[in-house]
Amino acid sequence: MKKQYRYSSILLLLLLAIHTQNCEAEFGWQNIEIHGFLSQGFMQSRQNNVFADTLDGTFQFNEFGLNFSTDLSSRLRTGLQFFSRDLGDFDNNIIKLDWAYADFRWKDWLGFRAGRIKSPSGLHMETVDLDMLRTFIFLPQSLYNDSMRDINIAVNGFGLYGYISPGGLGDLAYQLQYGETSIATDGTMALYMESEADARLVHAESHPMLKAHIEWMPPVEGLRLTGTFTTMDIALRYTVTEQTDWALESGLPVGWEFPHIMDNMIMFTGGFEFVRERMTFSSEYEYFETKVRQSAGYVGLYRSAGYYASLAYRFTDWFELATYYSVYYDDLDDRDGSELESMGLPKYLAWQKDWTVTTRFDVSEYWLIKGEIHFIDGTALLLNQHNPEGTERDAVLFAIKATYSF
Amino acid sequence: MKRKIVFSGILLIIYYAVLFPWPAMAQERETPQFVVVGHTSVPETLPRNEIKQIFLGRMTSKAGNSIGFVIFKEDTVYAAFLKAYVSKTITQYTNYWKKQVFTGKDRMPRMFESTTAVLEYVASHEGIISFLSPDDIIDYETVHIITVVE
């Protein structure tokens, strides 16, 4: 039924475009644009494994994207992009449909999209996989947590968008999206949730998500402000494994299944970017809240938050230097980890703070190379699967990456 | 100690970036190295902000008629135009359009290396505007210079 709605909406957009345009658009292979990118990197860390088995160094760090698009009329556009990546245990080069949608731009202030649409959040979520469009190799994980890609990266559904210039107030761009996200039981979010629960995820279901994103460019040169609001419900089901100590100690057997319902999940992201000549300064904040229900009923309200500030300076056309400081708290009611410590756990599980320095070299219009170093305090976002022997409070991660795009 | 050094450095850079006088951009607006040209179907005057919206792909129609643009890819003229009207460097502008392409929202702008190619395209396509060095303007019946107003 859901697929029928999706295909019907695409067909409706096509018919609308033909009817309103009396379209006689030329269509041939020469009108299809093809673009792509390929990245390969290397990571190594000290003290803890970060993203992958990085203590020994790893080349399991690449991305590939290829897209095809065309204008079917002056107002109707369609296209799709295939994407594959490998980041340690994440995705393992499985080719996925990154986006595929029809876009009917009725007016500059109102357009319609239907299909699998890239989902905006903050300054960078839409381009989180596009290494050539940013300075940093890894965006601040306090907001752009790689483990949460499944629910943040794209939506299967509908969208409205538009650009407005209310005289004297600058320019506004907005997007509204409604649809579902895909949560695979062997995907990035599954690994993260399994790390949190120390159990195996056997079923994941998300209910329709509503997202509103706005960008305001006020009449101050170089300034851009963003705000994103997201709400959705997620239903998960876990099974107890031999590693689920908390369950086994409670007498629950291996194989016992339990639900984990995240009701009324809301996420708010706000931030700004200021570009002046060769300098770019940006900062963002994200708040996350959800009510959690398990077998015994309502468990409680879970709240987390993160923020960062970054600075980049392009010294020449081919060299840019940048830095950011990022902070993430996994539980706003236990920022200093004292509650974790009272349960016999390290208090530094409560936060993850990251100071990063990056260099970017644009070798040519198509090639670039980046080098990056992270000084990480805390382990809130590290996965137990990567660190089964436990973690140290501090870690250093070094990454280098080359990207070709066309 | 490490955090104090980092934050002090960031504050210092922000101070110079925001508070230090940057006269270069104002001076370049007073002495443009380019003119905006368009097909005769495009109005003879366009507001500055509309020029920006057109070249960012946010404005595609005016008074019910389609409007678009092409790029003259000569670096000095290109950079001067972008700085004056779009507030971006060539790299920033290219990345803006790459984002549009790789998220499926639009296609890369059409670009030409020569003045003649730009003028021929503008002359033969209604609703198209571009920019050129004032020294390279050749008379075409269906091309006129557009006056930019605030």
Side-chain angles (χ1 to χ4, degrees), chain A residues 13-54:
Chain A
L13 283 171
L14 280 168
L15 290 173
L16 265 173
I18 294 168
H19 173 72
T20 56
Q21 290 289 307
N22 293 317
C23 166
E24 291 183 0
E26 294 175 12
F27 183 76
W29 291 110
Q30 67 272 22
N31 291 325
I32 296 177
E33 280 201 1
I34 303 174
H35 297 276
F37 59 91
L38 177 64
S39 299
Q40 176 61 56
F42 174 79
M43 300 184 285
Q44 185 150 29
S45 65
R46 292 187 178 176
Q47 285 80 44
N48 299 324
N49 283 311
V50 182
F51 297 120
D53 291 331
T54 49

Side-chain angles (χ1 to χ4, degrees), chain A residues 21 75 107-108, chain B residues 59-67:
Chain A
Q21 290 289 307
R75 295 188 192 179
K107 300 283 185 185
D108 288 331
Chain B
M59 181 173 173
T60 59
S61 66
K62 186 173 172 70
N65 299 313
S66 292
I67 195 162

Side-chain angles (χ1 to χ4, degrees), chain A residues 284-392:
Chain A
E284 295 189 274
Y285 174 84
E286 183 168 275
Y287 172 79
F288 175 89
E289 171 188 299
T290 185
K291 294 177 184 171
V292 177
R293 283 190 292 123
Q294 291 182 344
S295 305
Y298 178 67
V299 173
L301 182 69
Y302 168 76
R303 304 182 308 140
S304 67
Y307 58 88
Y308 75 89
S310 74
L311 186 65
Y313 193 84
R314 183 162 281 273
F315 288 87
T316 68
D317 289 343
W318 54 268
F319 174 62
E320 188 171 23
L321 178 68
T323 183
Y324 69 67
Y325 187 69
S326 159
V327 176
Y328 174 77
Y329 294 110
D330 194 52
D331 182 351
L332 284 179
D333 296 319
D334 187 27
R335 295 180 204 218
D336 61 0
S338 52
E339 214 171 291
L340 288 169
E341 203 169 33
S342 68
M343 293 191 291
L345 296 167
K347 62 178 181 179
Y348 54 79
L349 292 178
W351 68 78
Q352 186 158 317
K353 302 172 186 177
D354 182 352
W355 175 40
T356 295
V357 180
T358 306
T359 54
R360 170 177 168 150
F361 300 91
D362 287 86
V363 178
S364 73
E365 189 180 341
Y366 308 103
W367 282 100
L368 66 95
I369 298 173
K370 299 179 184 178
E372 185 166 287
I373 188 163
H374 295 250
F375 301 96
I376 304 170
D377 168 13
T379 60
L381 294 169
L382 300 188
L383 298 186
N384 292 339
Q385 297 93 322
H386 294 150
N387 300 280
E389 306 297 321
T391 54
E392 302 288 335

Side-chain angles (χ1 to χ4, degrees), chain A residues 184-197:
Chain A
T185 54
D186 58 352
T188 59
M189 188 168 172
L191 281 174
Y192 178 70
M193 298 307 291
E194 286 177 351
S195 176
E196 293 281 292

